[in-house]
Amino acid sequence: MKVCPTCHLSFNDDANVCTQCGAQLQTIVPQVSVQAGPDHTAEFQKEDISANKVLAMIPYLMGWIGIIITLLAAGTSAYAGFHVRQALKIQVCSTLVTIIGAIIPFLGWLAIAVFGIMVLVINIICFFSVCKGEAKEPPIISGLAFLK
């Protein structure tokens, strides 16, 4: 695909000149980016993000207790509410794995150990996402259909 550098219109690969302004077209190479999950940052106001960044970190650091604290302290912050929902998804999955681990003796405990490490890594990823002022869904967890 080619794009006009002046008016940013898109053209087929066989075109060389923009039909609107006459500028030489540039070939655009698609870039693949790896993201944690869908990025919802643009849905939130910058003032909300900067004012509630610390509150949005708490659920990832403190689990269920952090979720409750943030719910009580954040008030009407959409940004903090987004991160509470993401942390809640992580905690629901963690609780389900713990219940399964209690039912199936050896394999269950192994699953708890592996998933525990995964939850720690996912929480760290989400924490640093909040530090950057982003609102990305957690990796792995965002792909689970039953949590949509």
Side-chain angles (χ1 to χ4, degrees):
M1 175 170 71
K2 291 187 177 180
V3 175
C4 176
T6 307
C7 55
H8 306 290
L9 293 174
S10 299
F11 294 92
N12 291 330
D13 288 331
D14 56 347
N16 293 321
V17 179
C18 177
T19 57
Q20 184 170 348
C21 68
Q24 284 291 109
L25 299 178
Q26 296 177 346
T27 302
I28 300 297
V29 178
Q31 296 181 354
V32 178
S33 64
V34 178
Q35 295 183 355
D39 192 349
H40 299 278
T41 307
E43 299 172 16
F44 303 101
Q45 296 178 349
K46 290 184 181 185
E47 296 82 21
D48 184 19
I49 293 172
S50 63
N52 295 293
K53 212 184 259 191
V54 173
L55 284 175
M57 293 176 188
I58 294 172
Y60 300 118
L61 294 173
M62 299 179 68
W64 288 109
I65 293 171
I67 289 170
I68 294 168
I69 291 170
T70 303
L71 279 173
L72 294 173
T76 60
S77 169
Y79 183 70
F82 172 83
H83 285 289
V84 164
R85 287 189 301 278
Q86 303 315 308
L88 188 59
K89 291 177 185 179
I90 295 169
Q91 292 304 314
V92 165
C93 290
S94 181
T95 302
L96 289 174
V97 169
T98 303
I99 290 169
I100 291 169
I103 295 170
I104 306 170
F106 177 72
L107 290 177
W109 292 110
L110 184 62
I112 289 174
V114 170
F115 194 76
I117 293 169
M118 286 175 48
V119 165
L120 177 65
V121 170
I122 291 170
N123 278 323
I124 291 170
I125 290 169
C126 291
F127 176 82
F128 283 110
S129 175
V130 173
C131 290
K132 293 185 223 173
E134 298 173 340
K136 293 183 179 178
E137 292 184 23
I140 301 169
I141 305 296
S142 64
L144 298 175
F146 75 95
L147 291 174
K148 300 274 181 201

